[in-house]
Amino acid sequence: MPEPRSGDRPAPAAQKVDFPPLQNGVDYLDSVADQLRFGQPSPRNLKYAVLHLQAAAEVLLKARLVQEHWSLVFKDPGSAKRDRFEAGDFDSCTTTGAIGRLRDIAGVTIGDKPTKSLAILAKWRNRLQHYGLTAPVPAVEVTAAQVLDFLVAFVHDELLPTLPWPEAAAAADDLESVGMKVRGITSYMATRLKRLGEELKDVADRTVRCPVCEEWALVLGGHAIAMDCRFCHTTWPDAVQALEQYHNVYLANGNIQECPECTQDTLLVEAVGTAAAPEASHSVCFCCGTDFAVTARCDDCHNTFIPNPIDDHGLCGNCLNGAVDRF
Ligand SMILES: [Zn+2]
Ligand SMILES: [Zn+2]
Ligand SMILES: [Zn+2]
């Protein structure tokens, strides 16, 4: 065999990087599953769950990107250099960027829910490094379990099939043991959810989907000041902020107006499903929880609105204010 000349190309990077990142990523997943496994994880368990999960997500998503093309893990693929890649000396894309490229370029299906959970996770990891973990324990637990569940399936569907046999067999064994732990965690989550469903039976008509954990666990009305999700315990200082996040996450197209019942600007018109009627588009106030059945059409802008039974001018709030301003 001839001596390699200096300046010869090294072996293609794809062959070099396939297995170690996968093994590394699965090892992180195993650690996360251990942190979350027992009933109520401590804040310390959750801290390491967040750190290791974020590390696993980065390693595993990028391993799949590299299979597509090594330059795709660069922050700016246009200026990617092969030697920098091989030396591991470059600014790489973010987790969110990696997900976008996997979807758009590699054609990998990644649902909106895991995408959102991964984004939340990345935010927590950054905050954790600067301020410590400030999110409520159950919210971290729920999100971490969702991401863990997603990543195990991702490795199984996207990475294992590309490995040569001996490595694939070894990785499949490791993954199977992580999968068993994950099933334990998710069945515990399911039990909690079932119990909560029982507890919230009587308020199902004013319980909406939480914009953080996406469970039907955000009970409207009856809040002295702050409101919180009964499943993940994310807390909002008031109904306005809870509604704002709900509106952002679910892209509800309904208008927000003043509530005739409690006078807060927290009534979302014809856009809210409740635990009692998930597919419905009710008009519900996020502050007092009132579900308004009667709607009207504004004489001026023709938008649907909820009329004030005592003081109905046939105009929605916007048009009414406009009319008042003109005089
Ligand atoms: Zn929640
Ligand atoms: Zn109200
Ligand atoms: Zn109007």
Side-chain angles (χ1 to χ4, degrees), residues 25 61 111 204 221 233 264 325:
L61 295 173
H233 299 280
Q264 298 295 306
D325 288 347

Side-chain angles (χ1 to χ4, degrees), residues 257-269 283-285 288 290-292 294 305-311:
Q257 69 163 70
E258 186 183 293
C259 170
E261 192 66 36
C262 71
T263 73
Q264 298 295 306
D265 289 321
T266 47
L267 170 53
L268 183 54
V269 181
S283 305
V284 184
C285 172
C288 65
T290 310
D291 187 340
F292 294 86
V294 181
F305 74 106
I306 306 301
N308 189 326
I310 308 157
D311 200 12

Side-chain angles (χ1 to χ4, degrees), residues 152-327:
V152 169
F154 179 84
V155 172
H156 190 268
D157 298 344
E158 295 291 336
L159 294 173
L160 284 190
T162 65
L163 288 183
W165 186 76
E167 284 97 334
D173 279 353
D174 292 346
L175 193 64
E176 177 52 28
S177 113
V178 179
M180 261 168 59
K181 294 177 192 173
V182 174
R183 284 192 288 281
I185 297 162
T186 47
S187 82
Y188 156 74
M189 294 278 174
T191 311
R192 257 187 65 200
L193 211 51
K194 200 168 152 207
R195 195 177 60 221
L196 189 65
E198 284 297 307
E199 272 173 44
L200 301 183
K201 222 169 41 207
D202 297 335
V203 289
D205 55 348
R206 55 184 174 92
T207 301
V208 300
R209 206 166 237 197
C210 165
V212 174
C213 68
E214 304 201 347
E215 299 301 344
W216 295 92
L218 181 56
V219 183
L220 307 179
H223 303 280
I225 310 161
M227 62 194 284
D228 68 329
C229 166
R230 299 283 294 273
F231 187 64
C232 73
H233 299 280
T234 296
T235 306
W236 294 269
D238 54 40
V240 174
Q241 295 185 43
L243 173 57
E244 195 176 275
Q245 192 168 359
Y246 182 91
H247 203 266
N248 286 343
V249 169
Y250 296 118
L251 302 166
N253 28 24
N255 293 320
I256 296 169
Q257 69 163 70
E258 186 183 293
C259 170
E261 192 66 36
C262 71
T263 73
Q264 298 295 306
D265 289 321
T266 47
L267 170 53
L268 183 54
V269 181
E270 287 193 324
V272 186
T274 62
E279 300 301 326
S281 297
H282 287 196
S283 305
V284 184
C285 172
F286 271 57
C287 183
C288 65
T290 310
D291 187 340
F292 294 86
V294 181
T295 59
R297 199 161 286 276
C298 172
D299 291 339
D300 201 348
C301 71
H302 305 293
N303 280 336
T304 305
F305 74 106
I306 306 301
N308 189 326
I310 308 157
D311 200 12
D312 178 17
H313 303 274
L315 293 175
C316 76
N318 277 341
C319 296
L320 189 62
N321 287 339
V324 170
D325 288 347
R326 280 202 295 276
F327 288 106

Side-chain angles (χ1 to χ4, degrees), residues 15 23 28 32 58 68 130 156 161-162 164 166 191 238-239 247 283 323:
Q15 286 170 17
Q23 195 181 39
Y28 277 131
V32 175
E58 282 197 35
E68 204 63 22
H130 299 292
H156 190 268
T162 65
T191 311
D238 54 40
H247 203 266
S283 305

